[in-house]
Amino acid sequence: MSLSRRGFIAATALSVAAAGMASGSNAHADTLTIAPGEPNYERLSRRGYNRRFIARPERIHIPTSTSDVVDAVARAVHDNLRIAVRSGGHCFDDFVDSADTRALIDLQRMNSVRWDSEHRAFSIDAGADLNTVYRELALWGVTVPGGICRGVGVGGHISGGGYGPLSRQFGLVADHLYGVEIVTVDTAGKPAVVVATRDGPNKDLWWAHTGGGGGNFGVVTRFLLRSSDSTGEDPRQALPPTPATVVVGRVLIPMPMISEPSFVRLTSNYLDFHERFCEPGNRFAGLYARLIFRPIVESFADLLIFSYGPADEAHARLDEFITTISDGVAPAPLVLPPVQLGYTDSIAQYYAPPPPEPARVKIKTAFLRQAFSPEQLRVLYRALVDPGLNNESFVEFAPFGGAINAVASDATAMPARDSFMKMLLHAAWRDPAADDRHISWARTTYRDIFADTGGVPAPDERNAGSYINYPDPDLADPESNTTSVPWHAFYYRDGYPRLQRVKSKWDPNNNFQHRLSIAPE
């Protein structure tokens, strides 16, 4: 494996720091390990996405290399400290920012993207954010079908499956995962660096990282990305090519103008369209349309559309889609003029940046196999017109299907290969005194939408469970999930026992755990 210039400098800095520690200097005064009260502790402890949860660990490690991670893990295990790992900081719940977190390993300085000639794959450090990944891969003319939020770290994103605007064409990011480098801990408490690949001796550990979720088996230090149909001889053909052209469309409707019948008609048109065009290779696989409804009356329903491919085809596809979803909707939606631009420019202009100041958040999500019924949509409309909510809360529909559904459900640890849509309830607010109201709004809305299946999207002919990258501990709470369906069936279905076997093998002492972590056998 080649060592980048940045890696050499980081390694040299680490050697100097280590020499200083050996000579009797304060081992925790440097920037590699930070304790409460030291500079940057508050900033680092508050780097998470959800202000409902802020961890107060005894130490925050800022590694710059895999050997740093090994050292941090060894120290935490020796001192019997609960370990949590942060990549981009976008976990929706308290898996990282927990009161139980005593040693936080923050990977933000491990963020390089390079070609690894040994494994014939792109090596992506686990602390890199998606914006960095897109930018660096584009220099080679390739990309990954990752998320639409630029600040998300790949550590959790890829481990949980990873999807985005190009997924209907190219599948999940995990479908292009060739391998992982991960620091594991054995029965004796000794950490080791393991490389697991899809064609190597540790294939079980590779498989667990194709949708098994972060924080379960060890600390991933880097991912090796290469598509399964590539030999890796040419980096420019190792991953999906960057689209030559992107046509971006936008459709807006002022929320005060959306009556309940208009809402039901628009959303039904949108869902029915994607349910019809969810098979692999369908002619609309190159179109991704995210629909967001915000509850406050001053806001808009916002349909953001990416149409990829040759310009004429992309424009025609966009026009047909907008005509279809606008049919019978009154008043007529406001259709903005389409914008044609390059792929990297589409990311810079239309993908979401990190929030300047995180809010307090509660999320609920579901995969759909069939479109919501009119009654389910009326429930959703009544929730959206609640005057007590603010415009930071929203309901989002994001298309699935296409190439995602071309992969067998057990080929990766992410089994939702038979759905066409992901629905997200995202309650967000600022005042801690409003916690109960907003959390109750999310829970009640979710329960009422799925009233026919016990208040949860229990996998059946209509629902396909949920997504571990949008974790919801309510599914493990008997008060919220009154069905007989265990929480792990929503995320992993029949793959959970296999994940448990991997857990028992690679994390036998359960050093890596959180509220929805894989339990050993």
Side-chain angles (χ1 to χ4, degrees):
M1 178 185 69
S2 60
L3 182 67
S4 66
R5 180 175 182 272
R6 175 163 45 186
F8 174 78
I9 293 172
T12 303
L14 178 60
S15 298
V16 171
M21 295 177 192
S23 66
S25 64
N26 182 352
H28 306 299
D30 63 290
T31 58
L32 297 179
T33 303
I34 298 175
E38 293 184 343
N40 288 323
Y41 178 88
E42 291 299 325
R43 177 181 64 82
L44 289 166
S45 67
R46 297 173 64 86
R47 203 166 74 84
Y49 180 83
N50 190 349
R51 280 291 179 265
R52 286 176 60 207
F53 309 110
I54 298 175
R56 308 296 298 177
E58 294 180 22
R59 62 182 74 139
I60 302 176
H61 299 275
I62 320 286
T64 60
S65 67
T66 299
S67 61
D68 285 0
V69 175
V70 171
D71 177 69
V73 170
R75 290 172 55 190
V77 171
H78 178 270
D79 295 339
N80 197 29
L81 301 181
R82 188 254 180 177
I83 302 169
V85 186
R86 172 174 288 152
S87 178
H90 282 73
C91 183
F92 282 113
D93 223 89
D94 67 343
F95 296 178
V96 176
D97 291 306
S98 168
D100 297 331
T101 296
R102 310 316 308 149
L104 175 58
I105 301 176
D106 191 313
L107 300 174
Q108 62 178 294
R109 291 172 64 185
M110 297 179 64
N111 57 13
S112 69
V113 177
R114 60 194 182 277
W115 177 252
D116 186 319
S117 57
E118 176 185 351
H119 293 286
R120 303 191 312 279
F122 283 98
S123 174
I124 304 192
D125 285 356
D129 61 26
L130 288 176
N131 192 56
T132 299
V133 172
Y134 296 142
R135 183 185 67 242
E136 295 298 315
L137 290 181
L139 298 176
W140 299 85
V142 298
T143 191
V144 289
I148 200 170
C149 296
R150 300 198 304 261
V152 167
V154 299
H157 187 67
I158 298 176
S159 297
Y163 80 97
L166 286 172
S167 288
R168 284 166 52 82
Q169 281 186 285
F170 300 118
L172 304 177
V173 183
D175 296 337
H176 304 271
L177 180 64
Y178 173 72
V180 292
E181 179 184 86
I182 178 171
V183 177
T184 62
V185 180
D186 65 14
T187 305
K190 181 179 179 181
V193 181
V194 178
V195 175
T197 61
R198 63 175 171 241
D199 56 6
N202 302 318
K203 185 176 180 179
D204 61 338
L205 189 57
W206 160 82
W207 179 85
H209 286 86
T210 61
N216 278 308
F217 309 101
V219 182
V220 175
T221 51
R222 64 188 182 115
F223 298 90
L224 299 168
L225 295 184
R226 187 218 306 165
S227 300
S228 59
D229 61 354
S230 171
T231 64
E233 298 299 324
D234 183 351
R236 295 167 296 181
Q237 297 179 9
L239 289 171
T242 54
T245 304
V246 185
V247 176
V248 181
R250 202 153 205 164
V251 178
L252 302 174
I253 309 177
M255 283 298 289
M257 299 177 67
I258 302 180
S259 65
E260 184 174 296
S262 293
F263 176 85
V264 171
R265 183 60 182 252
L266 172 66
T267 312
S268 292
N269 288 349
Y270 171 86
L271 294 175
D272 291 344
F273 178 92
H274 285 97
E275 186 177 358
R276 285 190 290 119
F277 294 103
C278 68
E279 296 302 315
N282 74 80
R283 65 189 181 91
F284 282 93
L287 183 141
Y288 177 89
R290 186 192 68 179
L291 177 60
I292 288 182
F293 293 100
R294 296 188 183 276
I296 200 166
V297 294
E298 288 85 0
S299 68
F300 289 83
D302 186 353
L303 181 59
L304 177 63
I305 313 157
F306 297 96
S307 188
Y308 301 97
D312 290 346
E313 294 179 14
H315 279 282
R317 193 186 302 118
L318 176 69
D319 291 343
E320 184 176 348
F321 171 72
I322 292 176
T323 298
T324 301
I325 62 97
S326 301
D327 180 54
V329 177
L334 172 62
V335 180
L336 302 184
V339 177
Q340 181 177 318
L341 66 174
Y343 175 65
T344 54
D345 288 337
S346 73
I347 292 173
Q349 295 183 35
Y350 292 98
Y351 281 32
E357 177 61 29
R360 304 174 72 81
V361 172
K362 175 62 183 175
I363 64 96
K364 312 282 286 184
T365 190
F367 286 129
L368 308 183
R369 285 176 172 159
Q370 296 179 20
F372 279 157
S373 68
E375 179 53 37
Q376 286 177 299
L377 292 177
R378 284 190 281 270
V379 168
L380 188 56
Y381 176 81
R382 291 191 287 270
L384 285 165
V385 297
D386 186 331
L389 298 177
N390 58 59
N391 64 357
E392 289 190 272
S393 298
F394 59 86
V395 173
E396 175 189 85
F397 292 97
F400 250 56
I404 299 172
N405 292 2
V407 178
S409 62
D410 61 352
T412 65
M414 203 286 207
R417 306 294 185 155
D418 51 5
S419 63
F420 77 96
M421 186 65 59
K422 184 268 297 175
M423 185 276 297
L424 171 69
L425 294 174
H426 186 286
W429 64 99
R430 301 285 168 172
D431 183 3
D435 282 5
D436 289 346
R437 170 171 175 73
H438 288 82
I439 293 171
S440 176
W441 175 85
R443 287 173 171 164
T444 300
T445 302
Y446 195 71
R447 180 198 65 207
D448 292 348
I449 289 174
F450 297 106
D452 291 343
T453 51
V456 292
D460 61 7
E461 68 278 2
R462 299 188 59 85
N463 306 312
S466 194
Y467 181 37
I468 194 59
N469 278 0
Y470 298 145
D472 180 12
D474 288 351
L475 293 176
D477 183 353
E479 291 190 8
S480 296
N481 176 13
T482 60
T483 72
S484 60
V485 181
W487 70 266
H488 48 78
F490 291 87
Y491 298 112
Y492 306 121
R493 299 190 201 168
D494 296 337
Y496 187 65
R498 184 177 176 183
L499 288 168
Q500 288 185 289
R501 292 192 293 272
V502 177
K503 176 74 169 181
S504 296
K505 178 180 177 180
W506 293 101
D507 184 25
N509 296 334
N510 202 19
N511 287 290
F512 302 96
Q513 57 179 283
H514 49 72
R515 284 205 284 167
L516 292 182
S517 57
I518 307 297
E521 282 186 307

